[in-house]
């Protein structure tokens, strides 16, 4: 079948891709970015008629996205699967893709380009190479970048580009990290401190916080076949998403930016309440369903949440443990938001795999769950359901031979030879790169974990 391209374009993008110049560099051009920020950016361009906000995507690892998009002139489709019939839209806002391992200098040069005024990031939590609340200066890749090689880490790429820039730059993290903007600024500060030289452009650089939300499951061959039937051409880069899309951005920019609010984003002075609600309600529930669902043999989140017991636990997690720790953002009913979360998870058209959601637990757990545990303990409450979620992660670590986690070797070493629930809890609770001292020494938390792991292991 003919491949999607500017020559073979059955459904035209809402804006002419050939008219777009690059004003944004996006680091981490996976499926989520293409189904989220790139879509909002295109909608904003359509609403305003601005053509300066084309996107250069950067893949930090493989050439897959570049190889998919290059023969298609950067075009791809977003296949939306909701409760009704699926719909499809061709997106043209991504104008080219660079692959960092192949040409790291090209990545730095593009970020340093004066025409670029915004860099966005979706590199997952582990892509920031952090340790605690700062940069992991013992990371071998960070150390290598600090020696002056063509940088291969995100922090190194941004630092090298800022050293070449005179114009102000906005660096906008879109990853699920608490206060992701200030956190990224801290990592950059640590890098420059280690380097011993701070570029002048860094002082004017802005790091707004943001919160993103859209379920984007891995694309399957069946999805590609469905897209081909709907488009009449083959799209090897199609991404799948639910209809829901949310993007909340702190209105703190160093220079020009797209009118993202015209594309559906919310611009606000304070992202924190939105971020906390999403991380602690949606993301924590997603992770809990992934661990408990995988332990019960469910392949997808939709299957897990339709299990009556697991669905009840998911609702209880939000109502009993999470909502009491939150300050609701203006205009957001937390209880209603929780019900929306569960409805989205139940969407049978989105086959979001439990094992995919369960990956990188050692990085996700502190961000999604442990803050809630700490806040509940501080009020004298027993955080029973959120402790079950943490216990489910512990059992998942023990029972998963091919654990996909940046600390997998450490976790597997810690749990080697474990035969009792108490041993499992004590071994994992002792890992200080995951659990803070206050939780490591909490007898209430430890007792809850032992009780839940005992149930899950028997």
């Amino acid at each position: 079948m003919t491949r999607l391209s500017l020559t073979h374009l059955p459904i035209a993008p809402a804006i002419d891709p050939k008219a777009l110049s690059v004003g944004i560099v996006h680091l981490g051009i996976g499926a989520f970015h293409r189904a989220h920020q790139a879509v909002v950016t295109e909608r904003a361009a359509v609403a305003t008629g601005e053509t300066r906000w084309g996107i250069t995507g950067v893949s930090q690892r493989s050439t897959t996205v570049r190889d998919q998009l290059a023969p298609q002139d950067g075009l791809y489709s977003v296949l939306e699967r909701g409760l009704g019939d699926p719909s499809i839209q061709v997106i043209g806002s991504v104008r080219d893709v660079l692959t960092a391992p192949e040409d790291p200098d090209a990545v730095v040069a593009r970020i340093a380009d004066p025409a670029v005024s915004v860099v966005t990031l979706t590199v997952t939590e582990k892509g920031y190479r952090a340790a605690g609340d700062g940069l992991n200066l013992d990371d071998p890749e960070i150390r290598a970048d600090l020696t002056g090689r063509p940088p291969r880490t995100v922090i190194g790429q941004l630092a090298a580009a800022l050293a070449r820039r005179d114009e102000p730059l906005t660096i906008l993290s879109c990853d699920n990290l608490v206060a992701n903007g200030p956190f990224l600024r801290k990592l950059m500060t640590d890098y420059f401190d280690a380097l011993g030289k701070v570029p002048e452009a860094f002082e004017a650089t802005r790091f707004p916080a943001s919160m993103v939300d859209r379920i984007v499951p891995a694309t399957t061959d069946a999805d590609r076949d469905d897209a081909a039937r709907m488009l009449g051409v083959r799209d090897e880069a199609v991404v799948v998403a639910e209809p829901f899309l949310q993007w909340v951005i702190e209105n703190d920019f160093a220079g020009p930016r797209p009118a993202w609010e015209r594309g559906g984003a919310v611009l606000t002075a304070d992202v924190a309440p939105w971020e906390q609600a999403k991380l602690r309600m949606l993301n924590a529930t997603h992770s809990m369903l992934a661990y408990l669902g995988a332990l019960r043999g469910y392949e997808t989140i939709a299957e897990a949440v339709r299990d009556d017991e697991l669905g009840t636990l998911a609702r209880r997690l939000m109502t009993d443990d999470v909502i009491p720790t939150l300050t609701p953002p203006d205009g957001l009913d937390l209880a209603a938001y929780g019900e929306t979360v569960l409805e989205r998870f139940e969407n049978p058209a989105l086959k979001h795999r439990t094992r995919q959601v369960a990956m990188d637990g050692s990085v996700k757990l502190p961000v999604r769950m442990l803050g809630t545990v700490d806040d509940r303990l501080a009020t004298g409450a027993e955080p029973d359901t959120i402790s079950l979620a943490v216990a489910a992660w512990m059992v998942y670590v023990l029972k998963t031979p091919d654990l996909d986690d940046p600390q997998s070797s450490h976790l597997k070493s810690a749990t080697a030879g474990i035969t009792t629930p108490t041993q499992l809890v004590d071994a994992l609770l002792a890992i200080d790169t995951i659990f803070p001292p206050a939780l490591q020494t909490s007898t209430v938390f430890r007792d809850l974990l032992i009780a839940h792991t005992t149930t899950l292991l028997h």
Side-chain angles (χ1 to χ4, degrees):
M1 181 180 283
T2 304
R3 190 89 169 260
L4 174 67
S5 68
L6 287 171
T7 306
H8 302 96
L9 192 55
I11 302 175
I15 195 166
D16 180 6
K18 297 189 296 296
L20 294 176
S21 60
V22 171
I24 302 169
V25 173
H26 182 82
L27 304 181
I29 184 163
F32 184 83
H33 168 71
R34 287 179 283 142
H36 191 280
Q37 297 92 21
V39 172
V40 177
T41 300
E42 182 153 307
R43 290 175 183 172
V46 171
T48 62
E50 287 190 304
T51 58
R52 62 177 293 185
W53 301 116
I55 300 167
T56 288
V58 177
S59 173
Q60 298 294 329
R61 292 179 293 180
S62 76
T63 64
T64 301
V65 176
R66 193 271 314 278
D67 294 344
Q68 289 173 340
L69 290 179
Q72 300 182 180
D73 300 316
L75 302 177
Y76 66 93
S77 56
V78 177
L79 178 61
E80 285 192 4
R81 294 195 183 278
L83 297 179
D85 293 335
S87 63
I88 198 161
Q89 177 188 4
V90 174
I91 302 296
S93 54
V94 177
R95 291 296 75 231
D96 65 343
V97 177
L98 302 175
T99 302
E102 284 188 345
D103 195 348
D105 282 327
V107 174
V108 173
R110 187 58 58 90
I111 299 172
D113 185 342
V116 170
S117 60
V118 178
V119 174
T120 53
L121 298 86
T122 51
V123 295
T124 75
E125 291 95 328
K126 61 185 174 184
Y128 291 81
R129 299 179 183 272
D133 61 357
L135 186 64
N136 182 6
L137 293 172
D138 292 326
D139 184 291
E141 295 296 320
I142 291 290
R143 291 204 308 269
D145 280 1
L146 285 167
T147 66
R149 71 166 182 184
R152 297 179 187 175
T153 69
V154 167
I155 301 300
Q157 291 160 2
L158 293 170
L162 284 173
R164 298 188 194 180
R165 287 185 67 97
D166 296 319
E167 303 78 16
L169 184 66
T170 297
I171 302 176
L172 175 59
S173 171
C174 302
D175 282 296
N176 287 322
L177 299 163
V178 175
N180 51 15
F183 180 68
L184 180 52
R185 175 185 283 279
K186 173 64 165 57
L187 300 185
M188 296 293 300
T189 301
D190 290 350
Y191 187 92
F192 288 129
D193 286 347
L195 192 65
K197 183 178 181 181
V198 181
E200 291 184 11
F202 183 59
E203 184 177 351
T205 300
R206 309 305 296 170
F207 294 85
S210 78
M211 186 275 282
V212 299
D213 191 4
R214 193 175 208 188
I215 297 174
V216 182
T219 302
T220 66
D221 288 338
D223 295 324
R224 294 184 187 92
D225 291 343
D226 287 347
R229 284 192 291 271
M230 297 171 74
L231 290 171
V233 294
R234 189 77 181 172
D235 177 9
E236 294 298 335
V238 59
V239 292
V240 182
E242 64 173 332
F244 182 91
L245 187 156
Q246 186 179 41
W247 193 7
V248 182
I249 310 169
E250 181 184 7
N251 193 6
D252 181 24
F253 291 83
R257 63 166 178 85
W260 279 315
E261 66 273 26
R262 298 287 299 277
V266 173
L267 273 290
T268 180
D270 187 8
V271 172
W274 297 88
E275 172 187 79
Q276 285 288 76
K278 192 254 181 173
L279 286 170
R280 294 191 176 190
M281 295 184 72
L282 183 143
N283 292 119
T285 306
H286 214 200
S287 289
M288 183 179 78
L289 288 168
Y291 301 130
L292 290 174
L295 292 172
R296 291 195 176 188
Y298 293 126
E299 183 180 351
T300 68
I301 295 295
E303 291 171 343
V305 78
R306 288 198 298 269
D307 179 304
D308 288 342
E309 184 181 0
L310 298 192
T312 298
L313 287 169
R315 181 174 283 105
R316 188 183 301 160
L317 173 72
M318 291 187 281
T319 58
D320 292 3
D321 279 336
V322 176
I323 287 178
T325 72
L326 297 176
T327 301
D330 289 341
L332 183 65
D333 182 314
L334 292 175
Y337 175 67
E339 291 302 315
T340 299
V341 165
L342 295 180
E343 289 171 8
R344 292 166 61 198
F345 289 169
E346 289 173 7
N347 183 350
L350 293 176
K351 294 179 173 56
H352 212 176
R353 295 181 297 110
T354 51
R355 285 180 62 85
Q356 179 188 9
V357 179
M359 64 188 294
D360 302 338
S362 68
V363 183
K364 293 175 178 176
L365 211 69
V367 176
R368 298 182 176 193
M369 297 185 187
L370 299 188
T372 296
V373 175
D374 195 41
D375 286 350
R376 294 292 282 154
L377 289 170
T379 65
E382 287 197 3
D384 184 68
T385 311
I386 192 76
S387 296
L388 169 62
V390 178
W393 168 77
M394 290 180 164
V395 176
Y396 181 81
V397 168
L398 180 68
K399 290 193 168 186
T400 305
D402 54 341
L403 188 68
D404 191 341
D405 192 288
Q407 294 194 51
S408 58
S409 60
H410 189 184
L411 294 171
K412 283 303 181 182
S413 174
T415 55
I418 291 292
T419 59
T420 70
T422 299
Q423 289 174 339
L424 177 62
V425 169
D426 287 343
L428 293 178
L429 197 56
I431 299 178
D432 57 13
T433 53
I434 302 174
F435 294 96
L439 295 188
Q440 290 178 320
T441 57
S442 169
T443 56
V444 173
F445 185 44
R446 178 177 178 270
D447 289 347
L448 287 168
L449 290 174
I450 291 171
H452 287 308
T453 53
T454 300
T455 302
L456 291 169
L457 285 169
H458 294 91

